[in-house]
C-alpha cells in the first residue's frame, strides 16, 4: 500500500460548487417571494367570496323588491279602472230611474251628463241611446260624431239587459258599461252607457316611480293589446306575439297576480308582473302587465359590487406592494444572507457568518444557531486538516525508511495485519 493511500480526499476548492448543486439563491428567493404573494392572495379570497356572496343576496333582494314595486304599481293602476267600473255601474242604475232619460229629453240629458262628466273626470263619456243604438245624448257633446259608432256593439245583444265591453273602437281602447232604461211596463225605452278611456289610466303609470325603461301594457287574455306605454314612442303594437305571448299566457295560468322574466319586443330583458282587473261580470278579462328592465333592477347592486371589487382590488394591490417591500426588507434579504452563507459553507468555505445573530426575533435566533453550527464546522475542519497533516508526516517518514533500506521491512499492526 502506498503511503498516499492513508490520505483522506481533499475538500473542494473554495468558491467552486460541487457537481449537481441546487439552484442559486436568486432562484430560491424568487420562489419565496412568489409564495408570500400567493399567501396574501389566499388571505384575500375570503373577502372576495364574501363580496360575491353578498352581491348574490342583494341581487335576490333587489329582484324581490322590484317584484313588490311592480305589484304595487299594478295595483295602483288597476285600482282606478276597477273603482271606476263599480262607480259606473252604480251611477247607471240611478240614472236609469231619471224621468228626463225615460222621456229621452236630449237637452236635459246633455246637461245631466255634462255635469256628471265634470264631477267624474275618470269617465270619457256618458251616452244615451235608443234601443236600436242611435245616440241621442252625449255628455261630451260629441253625439253627432259618434251617433253610429256604438252600433256594432249592440248587434245580437238584448237591449233590455246590462252588459260590459272592452276593446278598441274607432282607434280608442275603451271600457263600456251599458244599462237599460225601462218604462212602467218594463219595456226598453233607452240604453245608458259610460265610456272609460283605457289610455287615461296609463298616465298613472308615470307616477309609479319605476326605473327608466319600464313598460305598461293592458291586454285581453287572447293577447290583444289595448294599451302599451311604448306606443307613445311610435311603436305599432297591436297584439302580443311569439315569446311575449307565450310568457303572457304562462303568467295567466298562475293566478290573479304573477311574475316572471322575459325578453321584450325591444330585446330588453325585463321582470314582468301581471294582474287581472276586476271590471264586472260579463266583460272580457283585462290584464295589466308591468315590465321592469333587469339591468335597472340590478344596477345599484352591480354598482356596489364593482365598488367593492375595486376597493378590494386596490386594497389587495396595496397589501401586495407592502408585502413585497416588507418581505424584501425584513424577510427575503435576511434569508438571502443565510442562504449565501449556507451555500459557501456547502462549497467548503467555513468562514462566512450570517451577521444576524444580534437581531432579537426568530430570525436572530435562527441566525445564532446557524453561526454556532458554522463555528463548529470550522473547528472540525481545522481538526481534520491538522489530523491529515500528522498522517502525511507519518507517511513521509515511513516512505523515507522504505527508500533508505535495502533489507526487507514489513509494517504490521498488533493483530498481525500487514500494512506495508
Amino acid at each position: 500500500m502506498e503511503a498516499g493511500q492513508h490520505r483522506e480526499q481533499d475538500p473542494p476548492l473554495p468558491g467552486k460548487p460541487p457537481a449537481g448543486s441546487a439552484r442559486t439563491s436568486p432562484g430560491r428567493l424568487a420562489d419565496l417571494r412568489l409564495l408570500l404573494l400567493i399567501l396574501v392572495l389566499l388571505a384575500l379570497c375570503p373577502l372576495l367570496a364574501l363580496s360575491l356572496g353578498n352581491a348574490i343576496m342583494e341581487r335576490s333582494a333587489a329582484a324581490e323588491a322590484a317584484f313588490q314595486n311592480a305589484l304595487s304599481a299594478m295595483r295602483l293602476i288597476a285600482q282606478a279602472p276597477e273603482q271606476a267600473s263599480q262607480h259606473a255601474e252604480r251611477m247607471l242604475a240611478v240614472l236609469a230611474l231619471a224621468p228626463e232619460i225615460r222621456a229621452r229629453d236630449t237637452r236635459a240629458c246633455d246637461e245631466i251628463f255634462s255635469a256628471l262628466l265634470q264631477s267624474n273626470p275618470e269617465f270619457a263619456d256618458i251616452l244615451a241611446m235608443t234601443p236600436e243604438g242611435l245616440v241621442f245624448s252625449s255628455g261630451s257633446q260629441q253625439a253627432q260624431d259618434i251617433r253610429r259608432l256604438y252600433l256594432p256593439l249592440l248587434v245580437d245583444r238584448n237591449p233590455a239587459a246590462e252588459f260590459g265591453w272592452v276593446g278598441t273602437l274607432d282607434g280608442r281602447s275603451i271600457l263600456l258599461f251599458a244599462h237599460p232604461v225601462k218604462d212602467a211596463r218594463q219595456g226598453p225605452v233607452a240604453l245608458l252607457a259610460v265610456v272609460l278611456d283605457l289610455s287615461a289610466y296609463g298616465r298613472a303609470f308615470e307616477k309609479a316611480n319605476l326605473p327608466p325603461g319600464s313598460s305598461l301594457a293592458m291586454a285581453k287574455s287572447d293577447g290583444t293589446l289595448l294599451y302599451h306605454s311604448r306606443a307613445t314612442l311610435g311603436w305599432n303594437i297591436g297584439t302580443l306575439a311569439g315569446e311575449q305571448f307565450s310568457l303572457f299566457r304562462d303568467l295567466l295560468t298562475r293566478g290573479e297576480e304573477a311574475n316572471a322574466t322575459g325578453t321584450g319586443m325591444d330585446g330588453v330583458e325585463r321582470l314582468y308582473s301581471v294582474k287581472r282587473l276586476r271590471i264586472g261580470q260579463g266583460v272580457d278579462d283585462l290584464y295589466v302587465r308591468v315590465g321592469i328592465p333587469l339591468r335597472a333592477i340590478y344596477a345599484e347592486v352591480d354598482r356596489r359590487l364593482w365598488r367593492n371589487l375595486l376597493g378590494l382590488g386596490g386594497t389587495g394591490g396595496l397589501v401586495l406592494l407592502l408585502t413585497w417591500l416588507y418581505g424584501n426588507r425584513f424577510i427575503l434579504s435576511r434569508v438571502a444572507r443565510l442562504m449565501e452563507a449556507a451555500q459557501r459553507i456547502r462549497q467548503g468555505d467555513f468562514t462566512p457568518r450570517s451577521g444576524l445573530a444580534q437581531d432579537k426575533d426568530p430570525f436572530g435566533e435562527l441566525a445564532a444557531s446557524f453561526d454556532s453550527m458554522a463555528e463548529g464546522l470550522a473547528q472540525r475542519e481545522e481538526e481534520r486538516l491538522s489530523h491529515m497533516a500528522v498522517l502525511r508526516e507519518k507517511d513521509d517518514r515511513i516512505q523515507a525508511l522504505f527508500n533508505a533500506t535495502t533489507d526487507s521491512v514489513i509494517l504490521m499492526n498488533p493483530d498481525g495485519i500487514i500494512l506495508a
Side-chain angles (χ1 to χ4, degrees), residues 245-262:
F245 182 66
S246 299
L247 174 65
F248 180 66
R249 293 293 296 172
D250 178 61
L251 289 171
L252 300 191
T253 62
R254 302 187 189 180
E256 301 242 339
E257 295 180 345
N259 73 301
T261 57

Side-chain angles (χ1 to χ4, degrees), residues 5-46:
Q5 290 179 304
H6 290 280
R7 298 178 182 177
E8 297 182 7
Q9 185 180 0
D10 292 335
L13 296 176
K16 181 180 179 181
S21 62
R23 286 189 298 168
T24 58
S25 297
R28 293 187 176 182
L29 287 178
D31 291 342
L32 287 176
R33 185 178 291 109
L34 178 62
L35 179 60
L36 284 175
L37 298 181
I38 291 175
L39 290 176
V40 172
L41 291 175
L42 290 176
L44 294 175
C45 283

Side-chain angles (χ1 to χ4, degrees), residues 263-324:
T263 303
M265 288 180 284
D266 55 357
V268 176
E269 192 172 6
R270 290 182 173 88
L271 169 69
Y272 287 105
S273 298
V274 170
K275 175 178 173 57
R276 185 171 73 89
L277 297 182
R278 298 178 178 275
I279 52 177
Q281 297 180 352
V283 184
D284 292 340
D285 287 340
L286 179 62
Y287 295 86
V288 174
R289 190 190 71 168
V290 172
I292 302 177
L294 290 181
R295 64 172 178 267
I297 295 173
Y298 300 132
E300 182 57 32
V301 175
D302 291 341
R303 279 195 293 269
R304 284 199 296 270
L305 174 61
W306 281 112
R307 285 198 299 266
N308 291 340
L309 291 179
L310 288 176
L312 183 60
T315 302
L318 179 61
V319 171
L320 288 175
L321 177 61
L322 293 177
T323 301
W324 182 284

Side-chain angles (χ1 to χ4, degrees), residues 50-65:
L50 182 62
S51 296
L52 294 177
N54 187 56
I56 292 173
M57 290 188 293
E58 285 188 348
R59 285 173 70 89
S60 177
E64 179 62 26

Side-chain angles (χ1 to χ4, degrees), residues 401-402 404-410:
L401 175 62
F402 285 171
T405 182
T406 57
D407 298 327
S408 295
V409 178
I410 297 176

